Structure formats: structure tokens, C-alpha cells
Amino acid sequence: MDGTVLVADDDRTIRTVLTQALTRAGCKVHATASLMTLMRWVEEGKGDLVISDVMMPDGNGLEALPRIARERPGLPVIVISAQNTIMTAIQAAEADAYDYLPKPFDLPDLMKRAARALELKRRAQVVPKAVEPVRPETSDLPLVGRTAAMQALYRLVARVMNADLPVMIMGESGTGKSLIARAIHDFSDRRTLPFVVAQAADLAGADGPSSLVARVKGGSLVFDEVGDYDDETQGRIVRMLDALPDPAPRIMATTQVDLAALMEAGKFRQDLFYRLGGVTLAVPALRERVEDIPLLTEHFLTRCERDGLGLRRFSNDAMTLVRAYAWPGNVRQLENTVRRLVVTATEEEITRAEVEFVLGNQPAIEPLRAGGEGEKLSASIARHLRRYFDLHGGNLPPPGLYDRILAEMEAPLIEISLDATGGNQARCADLLGINRNTLRKKITDLDIQVTRRRKLM
């Protein structure tokens, strides 16, 4: 690589790692913990690429993007952020960041993106527009997650929010399909127009479809759980879609059933299937992104505190049980459970016994542990990997997949092994069959948190 990179992050470790990696790659690097310093460098004409965190001590990196675009048109900015929500990904796209990566990021992947950005800058092909970040009134959507599945979903949402294509949102009940539809509308160019969610009953009668079109105008129209519509209702939708006025509304649909399977079984119209399936967004079940459960739980605890329900936290044993549960009702069930525990807990710390009482020792814990009766570990891994590829809607995942998948598997393996050995690193290293120094390095590199049960020795 050749060029000057401006790095802005309040984490000294990240600044050091990026400075060393970029310098070894042949770049000149200016690193700072201050957004003000970054903007001064930009205004002075320094830098061919900016790599910036979002939450800085003296400002917000996303809010600085339009100003950077005005001062230096064509200067690419890669946004890195620990704020792993759909809003961050969409706001980065709206503000025309060159790229967005969640923390913790994969360093080889970031280096490849930086190399591409510098090359495009050299060819003068990167010309960001100065667009102010969109800030809808409702900024507290519980679409939170740092797992690869959720980040892939965020990226796809950011790409399709202004595309003139219908969107099919698939996922189990409680995964947040309606929130995805609302986010697409709220961050799109249609955000000032009506957002209408239609049920099958709204299409009944001769004037049902025309009434819907009149209500939505040129906004967004969502057919809720379209897989449950009968054949007559499906036919009305087809005729309505074929006669949409100009400007036509954005069409979206949600479903918790496999429409392709229904179509093959003759229970869903083929013409409607292809009219609705311009882009398919698959929302993963909560059991398929277990690593997001603590993040979501903390989000709901914060919301409960803000709502005046009280300040609570989960004990380590309680959180272990929360992570082990299969959550058949997905994110909605998790939120309801957290709110109930906040209200009923006798102390500030929620205990495992209290979680067991609320969940009622339901058998849904077992499917998550086993992944299926007699299923081999390799089969379970293959199932999740296929799901990960499916989430990209026919596109390939971002480069660096090998290292990223290994890191996803390595971290929980080490965490569980440390728990099993009572935090004794010597015993854990022996169990894993690796050198103790290697284990120490992996704990640091993978940012494995030290707890009371897992103390560094």
C-alpha cells in the first residue's frame, strides 16, 4: 500500500495496532485520540484515507463525515465502531462512508479494505456525497448484535434501503422482522411518507386494495406474515401490484414460513412470490447468534432502568442459563423475560434461581446445547456456516472469512475451557494442548474478559 492514513480512535491499543500494521504495509500514519485533531489534519490537506471510530471523547465520528466530505471531496473514510446496532451501519451508509466495520474487527480484513480505498483514491474513483446522517425520531430499535450474521444483515439493509426493489423479510416470530421493515423506511428517502402495515383483513372487499394504496401514497407498504394469506387475498395483491400508480410505494413483506416450500406445495402463488422477492433479508433466530444475548440483555436492562423499573444486573450463573436457553420466542421473549425479572427480582443482582423460576425449567434449553438429537459437532458447524452464507442473499461474504470463522470458534472454545478448569490457565492450556504463553496471547488477542472465576495466573 502507498499513501497517508489518518487514524482516529480513543483506544490506544487500536491506534498502536493500526499504526504498526499500516506502517509495515508501506503507509505513513498519523494517529490521534481527538476528533478535533483529525479534522485539523483533514483541513490541512493531510491524508489519503481516514480510519475513524464513532464515539470519540470530543465528538461523534459519524457526524463529522459530511464535514470531511465538504472539506475534502473524494477522501475515503472507513468507520469502525463498537456501537454494533443497525443504526450505526445505516448512518454510515447514509453519510457515504467508504466502508463500515464493527468492533472487534478482523485486522487482515480491515487492511484489505484500506488497500482498496487507497487504490480507488489514487484513481479518483471515490467521490462521497455530503449527506447529513439521518436521525429518525425513534433511535432505540433493539436491533443490536455484533455477530457475523447480524452484521451481514445490517450491511444488506444499508444497501437496499433506497433500492427500487421489493423486500422480503424472513425469520421466526419475535426476531424483529417488523423492526427491519420500519428501519428500512425510517432511513430511506421515503421516511417523510406514510408507513403502512397491512393485514389480510385490510385487503378484503372490492375496495380493500385501492384503500391501502390511497393510505400509503408513495411511502412504504408492508404485507405482514404474507405466508398466512389465502389464495383469494394473494390474487388481490397480485392485481394491486400490477396496477400501482406513479409514484409507486415501496413494497415489503414479512414471513415466518418458507414461501418457496409453500409455493412448491401449491399453497402460495408463484406470480406473487416473484413479485415480492426482489431482495430477501433473512433475520437469524436468537439461538443462531448466542454471542449477542449478553449484549441484548444489557440493552433491555438499560431500557428497564430508564423506564423506572429499577436497576438490575445478572449474576454470572444467571447469565450462563440465559445464554443456554433456546429462546423459541426469540428477541421478543428475551425482552419480556428481562422485564419480568427486573420487576420480580428481590435484590439488585438477578440470580440463577430467579431465572429458572421465570423460564420454568422449560425443555427449550436442550436444543441449543445439542443442536439436534445425536447431531455431530461438524454437522452443527456446517449448518451454521450454510446459514451464514445464505444471509448474504447470493453474494459472497466479505474477504477474510477463514480467519474470521476460526476466531468465532476459538473464543468460545477458550472461554468454556477456562470455565471448566476454574480459570487455571496451566490446566486450560494442557486441556487444549497448547503452550501456556500461547493461551495468554490468545486471551489478549481475542479480548476474552477476565471474571471472578477466570483469573489470570
Side-chain angles (χ1 to χ4, degrees):
M1 287 192 287
D2 182 25
T4 300
V5 182
L6 308 181
V7 175
D9 199 295
D10 61 348
D11 188 319
R12 180 184 298 176
T13 301
I14 290 179
R15 293 199 306 272
T16 301
V17 169
L18 289 179
T19 298
Q20 292 176 348
L22 290 164
T23 301
R24 285 197 299 269
C27 294
K28 296 179 181 178
V29 182
H30 297 289
T32 179
S34 167
L35 190 61
M36 185 179 298
T37 301
L38 171 65
M39 293 309 303
R40 177 167 54 81
W41 288 341
V42 170
E43 291 167 2
E44 291 173 353
K46 294 180 180 177
D48 302 298
L49 167 67
V50 173
I51 300 177
S52 176
D53 192 7
V54 172
M55 302 306 296
M56 302 284 285
D58 56 348
N60 184 298
L62 282 177
E63 294 176 356
L65 288 178
R67 183 179 166 191
I68 292 174
R70 287 193 298 268
E71 295 287 341
R72 297 277 302 283
L75 178 63
V77 181
I78 296 177
V79 174
I80 54 176
S81 174
Q83 305 296 312
N84 300 300
T85 70
I86 193 169
M87 276 72 74
T88 308
I90 292 179
Q91 286 174 353
E94 280 288 325
D96 274 341
Y98 169 76
D99 214 335
Y100 158 74
L101 283 174
K103 291 181 179 178
F105 55 81
D106 180 69
L107 183 58
D109 184 27
L110 176 57
M111 295 296 289
K112 290 177 182 177
R113 294 168 190 263
R116 288 199 295 269
L118 287 169
E119 177 62 20
L120 288 174
K121 174 66 168 59
R122 187 181 66 80
R123 297 178 181 177
Q125 291 180 353
V126 178
V127 186
K129 302 189 295 289
V131 179
E132 293 291 340
V134 178
R135 301 195 177 282
E137 294 181 5
T138 302
S139 59
D140 194 28
L141 296 175
L143 294 169
V144 179
R146 62 167 56 96
T147 53
M150 288 305 291
Q151 290 298 322
L153 177 61
Y154 294 167
R155 289 176 182 277
L156 192 51
V157 168
R159 289 201 299 269
V160 306
M161 60 186 175
N162 282 318
D164 190 19
L165 290 169
V167 176
M168 176 67 69
I169 306 171
M170 302 178 64
E172 296 178 7
S173 176
T175 52
K177 300 186 296 296
S178 60
L179 295 175
I180 293 289
R182 184 80 218 198
I184 291 174
H185 174 81
D186 285 347
F187 285 91
S188 74
D189 295 339
R190 303 172 190 261
R191 55 187 172 271
T192 59
L193 298 172
F195 175 83
V196 177
V197 179
Q199 312 288 338
D202 295 317
L203 292 152
D207 60 347
S210 59
S211 176
L212 271 178
V213 173
R215 284 169 55 196
V216 74
K217 299 177 182 177
S220 298
L221 176 58
V222 182
F223 296 108
D224 188 44
E225 296 301 339
V226 70
D228 296 337
Y229 294 5
D230 59 31
D231 187 69
E232 182 180 352
T233 304
Q234 292 175 33
R236 286 183 179 144
I237 296 176
V238 170
R239 291 188 291 275
M240 183 189 78
L241 295 180
D242 288 343
L244 287 175
D246 189 23
R250 175 69 175 272
I251 302 298
M252 292 184 274
T254 67
T255 177
Q256 57 180 308
V257 296
D258 186 344
L259 293 185
L262 283 183
M263 183 179 66
E264 291 176 1
K267 298 180 180 179
F268 196 83
R269 293 177 62 117
Q270 187 178 54
D271 50 2
L272 180 57
F273 178 83
Y274 290 113
R275 280 170 172 79
L276 296 177
V279 177
T280 299
L281 302 179
V283 186
L286 191 53
R287 64 181 175 276
E288 296 173 337
R289 53 184 188 109
V290 176
E291 296 306 313
D292 284 335
I293 290 178
L295 194 67
L296 284 161
T297 301
E298 186 62 33
H299 176 88
F300 294 135
L301 287 173
T302 301
R303 176 179 288 180
C304 288
E305 181 184 359
R306 190 186 62 229
D307 292 344
L309 298 180
L311 175 64
R312 296 286 188 269
R313 67 177 184 274
F314 282 81
S315 69
N316 290 337
D317 285 346
M319 181 52 64
T320 298
L321 181 58
V322 170
R323 285 170 56 98
Y325 185 63
W327 298 108
N330 292 293
V331 179
R332 184 184 297 120
Q333 183 190 10
L334 174 62
E335 179 177 16
N336 291 338
T337 300
V338 170
R339 293 181 73 87
R340 179 177 173 183
L341 285 165
V342 167
V343 172
T344 60
T346 57
E347 303 290 341
E348 183 176 323
E349 184 173 83
I350 298 170
T351 67
R352 181 185 177 96
E354 289 171 323
V355 175
E356 287 177 342
F357 178 78
V358 169
L359 294 180
N361 288 316
Q362 297 181 43
I365 293 176
E366 189 58 31
L368 181 60
R369 292 175 176 168
E373 186 66 31
E375 184 179 40
K376 293 183 179 179
L377 177 61
S378 59
S380 177
I381 293 172
R383 179 163 47 85
H384 285 286
L385 287 175
R386 280 193 294 269
R387 177 71 171 178
Y388 176 66
F389 273 82
D390 290 344
L391 285 169
H392 287 79
N395 298 318
L396 290 176
L401 178 63
Y402 183 81
D403 290 336
R404 200 160 59 248
I405 293 298
L406 288 185
E408 288 267 359
M409 297 172 57
E410 192 172 33
L413 173 61
I414 292 176
E415 288 179 338
I416 293 170
S417 298
L418 281 167
D419 283 337
T421 55
N424 187 310
Q425 289 194 26
R427 290 181 62 196
C428 182
D430 183 61
L431 174 66
L432 294 170
I434 61 177
N435 184 276
R436 185 176 175 182
N437 290 333
T438 301
L439 177 61
R440 283 179 178 273
K441 185 176 186 302
K442 288 183 179 295
I443 289 173
T444 300
D445 292 345
L446 296 171
D447 194 26
I448 295 174
Q449 300 299 310
V450 179
T451 68
R452 287 174 294 179
R453 296 173 54 193
R454 189 191 300 150
K455 295 180 180 179
L456 294 173
M457 301 179 179

